[in-house]
Amino acid sequence: MLDQKARILIVDDEPRNLRLIEAMLGPDGHITLTAANAAEALALVARQAPDLILLDIMLPDRSGFEVASQLKSNAATKGIPIIMVTALDDRESRLAGLNAGAEEFITKPVDRPELLIRVRNLLRLKEYSDFLADHNRILEKQVRERTATLAEEIQERKRLEQEILEISDHEQQRIGRDLHDSVCQQLTGIELMSHALRKALPPTAKNEAELAGQVAFYTREAIAEVRMIARGLCPVIVEPDGLMSTLPQLAETVTRMFKVTCVIECPRTVLVHDNNVATNLYRIAQEALSNAIKHGRARRTEIHLTADPQELVLTIRDDGQGLPAQPIRSGLGLGIMQYRANMVGGSLVIEPQPTGGTVVICRVPLPALSARG
Ligand SMILES: Nc1ncnc2c1ncn2[C@@H]1O[C@H](COP(=O)(O)OP(=O)(O)O)[C@@H](O)[C@H]1O
Ligand SMILES: [Mg+2]
């Protein structure tokens, strides 16, 4: 700014004083504006802020102090440096000027070299503070842009993670169905043929008949195993009551395999028309139970499934040792449960139970269900 011309507003009701100060500043190449009273000065500042103001105290409409404090209390004008023009040794006025926020004082009669030095210093200060303010604005803008980019990237990562989860679910379901529909059918065919072979063999071929019987037996076992694998991959039967009918099987498996009591409570019929929703809820129950056994060392677990007109609620409680005191490091399982809940438009909380142990509650609003159903 010092290289450019500065705009300096001189406020004084004495035309003679205005002319004198204008003449003093002139050789430094500044542009001078003049105002004869407070109202004129404020109107000029509002139109285009000057770089500096020389402000007389005694103005006809308001005092210079009032003008100064009004300008200093407005964010748009508080950065404009003000030099108050006071009478020589007028201590009171200087204090009042300081109080109003003025940066400098100059005494009447104005001494030209002193005026020029004070003006130069204040203009330089103003230049630095303008530069800093600009710099801050640029930095803030960059921070805002970077934050927005990061938020977008996080959003995109979440979307991709959800997509991966959905794809892997679909793939698992497809493999589960294929195993069930093709491999199991073929094995059933082999089993029937083995029975037929055993019956068709003459009574003399006892050993061969026994072998055929064993083939049938092992084939039956293989069918049972493949069915179990298929059920794990595609857990929920594609029927509206699939979730209701599959959760008891999950409870039974938990009780049988881990010797941990698992009680299922589903007081009323809960129909879930979207198999994707049912599968996600099933997986949430499976993970919550696995955590109860693995981390909570629970002896007893409960699954509740209820629905009212507003929402479907799946709750899994355990009587285990409860969540750790320190914040849970974000494990994969909890994260995936959250994703699954979000994916079906629901929410999930995991919290300690007042009576000890842990509870996982997944709520799915029913409009989301019917929209998907
Ligand atoms: N039912 C629970 N009882 C006690 N602690 C639990 C339970 N569920 C989760 N936690 C705590 O939360 C942590 C994260 O769980 P999770 O994300 O499922 O991780 P992981 O993949 O190790 O199972 C566990 O390490 C455990 O400390
Ligand atoms: Mg887990």
Side-chain angles (χ1 to χ4, degrees), residues 287-288 290-292 294-295 331-334 337:
E287 172 65 16
S290 141
N291 281 350
K294 189 167 67 168
H295 302 300
L332 207 58
L334 293 186
M337 278 203 283

Side-chain angles (χ1 to χ4, degrees), residues 33-265:
L33 315 162
T34 57
N37 55 48
E40 216 177 283
L42 291 171
L44 258 168
V45 174
R47 223 176 301 137
Q48 195 185 353
D51 297 307
L52 187 136
I53 303 174
L54 279 159
L55 187 57
D56 188 30
I57 292 167
M58 304 283 278
L59 297 171
D61 45 353
R62 290 162 77 183
S63 80
F65 306 129
E66 283 176 75
V67 175
S69 60
Q70 182 170 335
L71 292 173
K72 290 298 178 185
S73 61
N74 179 347
T77 53
K78 73 173 180 202
I80 307 169
I82 297 176
I83 301 180
M84 302 230 62
V85 187
T86 66
L88 194 60
D89 289 338
D90 183 353
R91 185 170 170 276
E92 292 296 304
S93 296
R94 283 176 177 252
L95 283 178
L98 273 178
N99 209 23
E103 276 79 6
E104 279 285 6
F105 303 91
I106 192 138
T107 48
K108 283 183 187 172
V110 175
D111 176 55
R112 184 170 182 264
E114 187 191 346
L115 173 71
L116 290 181
I117 288 170
R118 292 201 191 283
V119 165
R120 262 179 227 150
N121 287 346
L122 277 185
L123 286 177
R124 193 165 294 129
L125 263 180
K126 167 118 191 324
E127 189 181 24
Y128 291 144
S129 59
D130 284 353
F131 171 76
L132 273 180
D134 274 355
H135 200 67
N136 274 349
R137 260 197 299 278
I138 292 169
L139 278 181
E140 275 166 18
K141 186 166 168 267
Q142 283 175 347
V143 168
R144 270 199 306 278
E145 284 170 0
R146 189 80 194 101
T147 310
T149 313
L150 277 176
E152 271 170 29
E153 281 172 15
I154 291 171
Q155 203 59 33
E156 176 64 4
R157 208 196 64 205
K158 278 190 175 167
R159 196 189 61 74
L160 287 175
E161 281 172 351
Q162 284 198 1
E163 209 164 280
I164 289 169
L165 207 60
E166 268 176 61
I167 291 170
S168 97
D169 277 357
H170 280 133
E171 269 305 280
Q172 286 194 3
Q173 288 180 12
R174 187 187 61 76
I175 297 169
R177 274 196 303 273
D178 284 356
L179 276 177
H180 182 270
D181 296 349
S182 70
V183 180
C184 280
Q185 308 303 344
Q186 288 193 21
L187 286 174
T188 306
I190 295 171
E191 187 200 355
L192 291 176
M193 282 163 75
S194 312
H195 281 306
L197 176 64
R198 189 168 58 87
K199 280 191 189 142
L201 284 168
T204 48
K206 250 187 167 179
N207 288 346
E208 287 79 357
E210 202 174 306
L211 271 176
Q214 279 179 5
V215 171
F217 173 78
Y218 287 120
T219 310
R220 177 108 300 257
E221 293 244 299
I223 291 169
E225 207 142 299
V226 173
R227 279 219 167 109
M228 263 180 67
I229 295 169
R231 176 53 50 83
L233 291 167
C234 177
V236 182
I237 300 156
V238 192
E239 294 293 336
D241 66 352
L243 184 63
M244 263 182 76
S245 59
T246 321
L247 285 177
Q249 291 170 20
L250 177 63
E252 199 192 299
T253 310
V254 167
T255 309
R256 186 166 34 85
M257 285 178 65
F258 301 100
K259 309 281 178 274
V260 171
T261 310
C262 186
V263 179
I264 171 105
E265 251 184 53

Side-chain angles (χ1 to χ4, degrees), residues 297-334:
R297 310 228 168 281
R299 310 266 311 268
R300 182 189 155 88
T301 54
E302 291 172 18
I303 307 173
H304 292 247
L305 181 67
T306 57
D308 63 24
Q310 279 82 42
E311 62 180 5
L312 183 151
V313 185
L314 172 70
T315 310
I316 301 96
R317 292 179 198 285
D318 70 62
D319 66 350
Q321 58 199 28
L323 295 167
Q326 70 271 29
I328 302 172
R329 63 169 178 77
S330 188
L332 207 58
L334 293 186

